[in-house]
PDB file of all heavy atoms in Angstrom:
ATOM      1  N   MET A1561      23.514  59.351 -42.310  1.00 96.00           N
ATOM      2  CA  MET A1561      22.463  59.775 -43.241  1.00 96.00           C
ATOM      3  C   MET A1561      21.601  60.865 -42.597  1.00 96.00           C
ATOM      4  O   MET A1561      21.180  61.800 -43.250  1.00 96.00           O
ATOM      5  CB  MET A1561      21.576  58.590 -43.636  1.00 96.00           C
ATOM      6  CG  MET A1561      22.340  57.431 -44.237  1.00 96.00           C
ATOM      7  SD  MET A1561      23.347  57.931 -45.642  1.00 96.00           S
ATOM      8  CE  MET A1561      24.848  57.009 -45.317  1.00 96.00           C
ATOM      9  N   MET A1565      20.916  64.567 -44.101  1.00 95.00           N
ATOM     10  CA  MET A1565      19.551  65.067 -44.318  1.00 95.00           C
ATOM     11  C   MET A1565      19.324  66.372 -43.564  1.00 95.00           C
ATOM     12  O   MET A1565      18.739  67.315 -44.088  1.00 95.00           O
ATOM     13  CB  MET A1565      18.527  64.022 -43.881  1.00 95.00           C
ATOM     14  CG  MET A1565      18.431  62.851 -44.840  1.00 95.00           C
ATOM     15  SD  MET A1565      17.092  61.733 -44.412  1.00 95.00           S
ATOM     16  CE  MET A1565      17.740  60.903 -42.980  1.00 95.00           C
ATOM     17  N   GLY A1569      18.201  69.913 -44.874  1.00 92.00           N
ATOM     18  CA  GLY A1569      16.828  70.139 -44.441  1.00 92.00           C
ATOM     19  C   GLY A1569      15.846  69.115 -44.993  1.00 92.00           C
ATOM     20  O   GLY A1569      14.662  69.396 -45.160  1.00 92.00           O
ATOM     21  N   GLU A1570      16.346  67.914 -45.293  1.00 93.00           N
ATOM     22  CA  GLU A1570      15.450  66.875 -45.811  1.00 93.00           C
ATOM     23  C   GLU A1570      15.125  65.856 -44.711  1.00 93.00           C
ATOM     24  O   GLU A1570      15.750  65.860 -43.659  1.00 93.00           O
ATOM     25  CB  GLU A1570      16.114  66.170 -47.008  1.00 93.00           C
ATOM     26  CG  GLU A1570      16.326  67.108 -48.191  1.00 93.00           C
ATOM     27  CD  GLU A1570      16.985  66.424 -49.392  1.00 93.00           C
ATOM     28  OE1 GLU A1570      17.992  65.720 -49.218  1.00 93.00           O
ATOM     29  OE2 GLU A1570      16.491  66.616 -50.499  1.00 93.00           O
ATOM     30  N   ASP A1571      14.152  65.007 -44.967  1.00 93.00           N
ATOM     31  CA  ASP A1571      13.795  63.971 -43.994  1.00 93.00           C
ATOM     32  C   ASP A1571      13.172  62.794 -44.742  1.00 93.00           C
ATOM     33  O   ASP A1571      12.125  62.939 -45.366  1.00 93.00           O
ATOM     34  CB  ASP A1571      12.791  64.528 -42.979  1.00 93.00           C
ATOM     35  CG  ASP A1571      12.470  63.527 -41.864  1.00 93.00           C
ATOM     36  OD1 ASP A1571      12.816  62.341 -42.019  1.00 93.00           O
ATOM     37  OD2 ASP A1571      11.871  63.940 -40.859  1.00 93.00           O
ATOM     38  N   TRP A1572      13.821  61.641 -44.697  1.00 94.00           N
ATOM     39  CA  TRP A1572      13.326  60.519 -45.507  1.00 94.00           C
ATOM     40  C   TRP A1572      12.023  59.916 -44.986  1.00 94.00           C
ATOM     41  O   TRP A1572      11.350  59.198 -45.719  1.00 94.00           O
ATOM     42  CB  TRP A1572      14.391  59.462 -45.736  1.00 94.00           C
ATOM     43  CG  TRP A1572      15.030  58.851 -44.504  1.00 94.00           C
ATOM     44  CD1 TRP A1572      14.589  58.906 -43.224  1.00 94.00           C
ATOM     45  CD2 TRP A1572      16.253  58.094 -44.490  1.00 94.00           C
ATOM     46  NE1 TRP A1572      15.455  58.241 -42.406  1.00 94.00           N
ATOM     47  CE2 TRP A1572      16.480  57.721 -43.145  1.00 94.00           C
ATOM     48  CE3 TRP A1572      17.156  57.676 -45.460  1.00 94.00           C
ATOM     49  CZ2 TRP A1572      17.586  56.972 -42.771  1.00 94.00           C
ATOM     50  CZ3 TRP A1572      18.253  56.921 -45.079  1.00 94.00           C
ATOM     51  CH2 TRP A1572      18.460  56.575 -43.751  1.00 94.00           C
ATOM     52  N   THR A1573      11.672  60.207 -43.738  1.00 90.00           N
ATOM     53  CA  THR A1573      10.383  59.696 -43.259  1.00 90.00           C
ATOM     54  C   THR A1573       9.238  60.548 -43.807  1.00 90.00           C
ATOM     55  O   THR A1573       8.089  60.139 -43.778  1.00 90.00           O
ATOM     56  CB  THR A1573      10.278  59.750 -41.724  1.00 90.00           C
ATOM     57  OG1 THR A1573      10.319  61.120 -41.314  1.00 90.00           O
ATOM     58  CG2 THR A1573      11.403  58.997 -41.064  1.00 90.00           C
ATOM     59  N   GLY A1574       9.567  61.763 -44.287  1.00 87.00           N
ATOM     60  CA  GLY A1574       8.521  62.660 -44.772  1.00 87.00           C
ATOM     61  C   GLY A1574       7.847  63.426 -43.643  1.00 87.00           C
ATOM     62  O   GLY A1574       6.851  64.104 -43.863  1.00 87.00           O
ATOM     63  N   VAL A1580       7.208  58.481 -47.233  1.00 92.00           N
ATOM     64  CA  VAL A1580       8.600  58.065 -47.145  1.00 92.00           C
ATOM     65  C   VAL A1580       9.292  58.221 -48.508  1.00 92.00           C
ATOM     66  O   VAL A1580       8.720  57.928 -49.550  1.00 92.00           O
ATOM     67  CB  VAL A1580       8.674  56.616 -46.624  1.00 92.00           C
ATOM     68  CG1 VAL A1580       8.025  55.648 -47.574  1.00 92.00           C
ATOM     69  CG2 VAL A1580      10.096  56.203 -46.360  1.00 92.00           C
ATOM     70  N   ASN A1581      10.527  58.769 -48.465  1.00 94.00           N
ATOM     71  CA  ASN A1581      11.303  58.912 -49.688  1.00 94.00           C
ATOM     72  C   ASN A1581      12.787  58.852 -49.347  1.00 94.00           C
ATOM     73  O   ASN A1581      13.329  59.772 -48.734  1.00 94.00           O
ATOM     74  CB  ASN A1581      10.974  60.255 -50.372  1.00 94.00           C
ATOM     75  CG  ASN A1581      11.811  60.461 -51.628  1.00 94.00           C
ATOM     76  OD1 ASN A1581      12.401  59.517 -52.148  1.00 94.00           O
ATOM     77  ND2 ASN A1581      11.867  61.692 -52.103  1.00 94.00           N
ATOM     78  N   VAL A1582      13.432  57.763 -49.738  1.00 94.00           N
ATOM     79  CA  VAL A1582      14.853  57.634 -49.408  1.00 94.00           C
ATOM     80  C   VAL A1582      15.753  58.126 -50.537  1.00 94.00           C
ATOM     81  O   VAL A1582      16.953  58.258 -50.359  1.00 94.00           O
ATOM     82  CB  VAL A1582      15.235  56.172 -49.069  1.00 94.00           C
ATOM     83  CG1 VAL A1582      14.514  55.710 -47.817  1.00 94.00           C
ATOM     84  CG2 VAL A1582      14.961  55.246 -50.226  1.00 94.00           C
ATOM     85  N   GLN A1583      15.150  58.411 -51.705  1.00 95.00           N
ATOM     86  CA  GLN A1583      15.980  58.852 -52.836  1.00 95.00           C
ATOM     87  C   GLN A1583      16.211  60.360 -52.753  1.00 95.00           C
ATOM     88  O   GLN A1583      15.792  61.119 -53.621  1.00 95.00           O
ATOM     89  CB  GLN A1583      15.306  58.462 -54.155  1.00 95.00           C
ATOM     90  CG  GLN A1583      15.301  56.946 -54.352  1.00 95.00           C
ATOM     91  CD  GLN A1583      14.365  56.496 -55.448  1.00 95.00           C
ATOM     92  OE1 GLN A1583      13.157  56.735 -55.358  1.00 95.00           O
ATOM     93  NE2 GLN A1583      14.899  55.870 -56.475  1.00 95.00           N
ATOM     94  N   LEU A1584      16.863  60.772 -51.690  1.00 95.00           N
ATOM     95  CA  LEU A1584      17.105  62.192 -51.444  1.00 95.00           C
ATOM     96  C   LEU A1584      18.533  62.542 -51.862  1.00 95.00           C
ATOM     97  O   LEU A1584      19.438  61.721 -51.731  1.00 95.00           O
ATOM     98  CB  LEU A1584      16.929  62.493 -49.958  1.00 95.00           C
ATOM     99  CG  LEU A1584      15.560  62.190 -49.345  1.00 95.00           C
ATOM    100  CD1 LEU A1584      15.611  62.348 -47.841  1.00 95.00           C
ATOM    101  CD2 LEU A1584      14.505  63.120 -49.942  1.00 95.00           C
ATOM    102  N   ASP A1585      18.723  63.792 -52.320  1.00 95.00           N
ATOM    103  CA  ASP A1585      20.061  64.232 -52.713  1.00 95.00           C
ATOM    104  C   ASP A1585      21.055  64.101 -51.568  1.00 95.00           C
ATOM    105  O   ASP A1585      22.184  63.681 -51.752  1.00 95.00           O
ATOM    106  CB  ASP A1585      20.004  65.697 -53.168  1.00 95.00           C
ATOM    107  CG  ASP A1585      19.405  65.804 -54.560  1.00 95.00           C
ATOM    108  OD1 ASP A1585      19.372  64.766 -55.255  1.00 95.00           O
ATOM    109  OD2 ASP A1585      18.955  66.906 -54.930  1.00 95.00           O
ATOM    110  N   SER A1586      20.591  64.491 -50.366  1.00 96.00           N
ATOM    111  CA  SER A1586      21.500  64.472 -49.215  1.00 96.00           C
ATOM    112  C   SER A1586      22.009  63.056 -48.956  1.00 96.00           C
ATOM    113  O   SER A1586      23.207  62.841 -48.754  1.00 96.00           O
ATOM    114  CB  SER A1586      20.772  65.003 -47.989  1.00 96.00           C
ATOM    115  OG  SER A1586      19.557  64.312 -47.801  1.00 96.00           O
ATOM    116  N   VAL A1587      21.093  62.089 -49.009  1.00 96.00           N
ATOM    117  CA  VAL A1587      21.473  60.706 -48.730  1.00 96.00           C
ATOM    118  C   VAL A1587      22.410  60.191 -49.828  1.00 96.00           C
ATOM    119  O   VAL A1587      23.431  59.555 -49.550  1.00 96.00           O
ATOM    120  CB  VAL A1587      20.214  59.818 -48.621  1.00 96.00           C
ATOM    121  CG1 VAL A1587      20.595  58.356 -48.480  1.00 96.00           C
ATOM    122  CG2 VAL A1587      19.359  60.256 -47.456  1.00 96.00           C
ATOM    123  N   LYS A1588      22.074  60.512 -51.085  1.00 96.00           N
ATOM    124  CA  LYS A1588      22.923  60.074 -52.196  1.00 96.00           C
ATOM    125  C   LYS A1588      24.327  60.647 -52.058  1.00 96.00           C
ATOM    126  O   LYS A1588      25.315  59.947 -52.239  1.00 96.00           O
ATOM    127  CB  LYS A1588      22.322  60.535 -53.533  1.00 96.00           C
ATOM    128  CG  LYS A1588      21.119  59.715 -53.954  1.00 96.00           C
ATOM    129  CD  LYS A1588      20.554  60.211 -55.261  1.00 96.00           C
ATOM    130  CE  LYS A1588      19.203  59.549 -55.527  1.00 96.00           C
ATOM    131  NZ  LYS A1588      18.481  60.164 -56.630  1.00 96.00           N
ATOM    132  N   LYS A1589      24.395  61.945 -51.709  1.00 96.00           N
ATOM    133  CA  LYS A1589      25.707  62.597 -51.588  1.00 96.00           C
ATOM    134  C   LYS A1589      26.540  61.938 -50.493  1.00 96.00           C
ATOM    135  O   LYS A1589      27.721  61.674 -50.673  1.00 96.00           O
ATOM    136  CB  LYS A1589      25.531  64.086 -51.267  1.00 96.00           C
ATOM    137  CG  LYS A1589      25.286  64.898 -52.506  1.00 96.00           C
ATOM    138  CD  LYS A1589      25.412  66.370 -52.217  1.00 96.00           C
ATOM    139  CE  LYS A1589      25.243  67.124 -53.529  1.00 96.00           C
ATOM    140  NZ  LYS A1589      24.812  68.483 -53.380  1.00 96.00           N
ATOM    141  N   MET A1590      25.909  61.691 -49.354  1.00 96.00           N
ATOM    142  CA  MET A1590      26.645  61.103 -48.237  1.00 96.00           C
ATOM    143  C   MET A1590      27.123  59.698 -48.587  1.00 96.00           C
ATOM    144  O   MET A1590      28.282  59.348 -48.372  1.00 96.00           O
ATOM    145  CB  MET A1590      25.758  61.090 -46.985  1.00 96.00           C
ATOM    146  CG  MET A1590      26.414  60.512 -45.741  1.00 96.00           C
ATOM    147  SD  MET A1590      27.958  61.303 -45.273  1.00 96.00           S
ATOM    148  CE  MET A1590      27.396  62.706 -44.316  1.00 96.00           C
ATOM    149  N   VAL A1780      24.856  53.594 -55.804  1.00 95.00           N
ATOM    150  CA  VAL A1780      24.006  54.219 -54.788  1.00 95.00           C
ATOM    151  C   VAL A1780      22.572  54.411 -55.287  1.00 95.00           C
ATOM    152  O   VAL A1780      21.612  54.079 -54.582  1.00 95.00           O
ATOM    153  CB  VAL A1780      24.609  55.580 -54.345  1.00 95.00           C
ATOM    154  CG1 VAL A1780      23.628  56.344 -53.479  1.00 95.00           C
ATOM    155  CG2 VAL A1780      25.910  55.358 -53.604  1.00 95.00           C
ATOM    156  N   ASP A1781      22.438  54.938 -56.524  1.00 95.00           N
ATOM    157  CA  ASP A1781      21.091  55.171 -57.054  1.00 95.00           C
ATOM    158  C   ASP A1781      20.292  53.873 -57.128  1.00 95.00           C
ATOM    159  O   ASP A1781      19.110  53.827 -56.783  1.00 95.00           O
ATOM    160  CB  ASP A1781      21.171  55.792 -58.452  1.00 95.00           C
ATOM    161  CG  ASP A1781      21.622  57.244 -58.372  1.00 95.00           C
ATOM    162  OD1 ASP A1781      21.186  57.925 -57.432  1.00 95.00           O
ATOM    163  OD2 ASP A1781      22.414  57.666 -59.224  1.00 95.00           O
ATOM    164  N   LEU A1784      19.275  52.681 -53.624  1.00 96.00           N
ATOM    165  CA  LEU A1784      18.201  53.490 -53.039  1.00 96.00           C
ATOM    166  C   LEU A1784      16.878  53.261 -53.764  1.00 96.00           C
ATOM    167  O   LEU A1784      15.813  53.276 -53.141  1.00 96.00           O
ATOM    168  CB  LEU A1784      18.588  54.971 -53.049  1.00 96.00           C
ATOM    169  CG  LEU A1784      19.660  55.357 -52.027  1.00 96.00           C
ATOM    170  CD1 LEU A1784      20.080  56.803 -52.206  1.00 96.00           C
ATOM    171  CD2 LEU A1784      19.170  55.127 -50.603  1.00 96.00           C
ATOM    172  N   GLN A1788      13.506  52.111 -51.991  1.00 94.00           N
ATOM    173  CA  GLN A1788      12.264  52.858 -52.146  1.00 94.00           C
ATOM    174  C   GLN A1788      11.130  51.943 -52.598  1.00 94.00           C
ATOM    175  O   GLN A1788      10.018  51.988 -52.076  1.00 94.00           O
ATOM    176  CB  GLN A1788      12.468  53.996 -53.150  1.00 94.00           C
ATOM    177  CG  GLN A1788      11.253  54.889 -53.342  1.00 94.00           C
ATOM    178  CD  GLN A1788      10.928  55.697 -52.091  1.00 94.00           C
ATOM    179  OE1 GLN A1788      11.793  55.933 -51.242  1.00 94.00           O
ATOM    180  NE2 GLN A1788       9.679  56.099 -51.948  1.00 94.00           N
TER     181      GLN A1788
END
Side-chain angles (χ1 to χ4, degrees):
Chain A
M1561 304 305 138
M1565 287 187 286
E1570 296 180 312
D1571 185 346
W1572 57 15
T1573 64
V1580 63
N1581 178 16
V1582 296
Q1583 292 166 299
L1584 301 172
D1585 284 342
S1586 52
V1587 174
K1588 285 179 191 169
K1589 277 192 176 156
M1590 181 56 84
V1780 170
D1781 287 322
L1784 287 174
Q1788 183 67 23

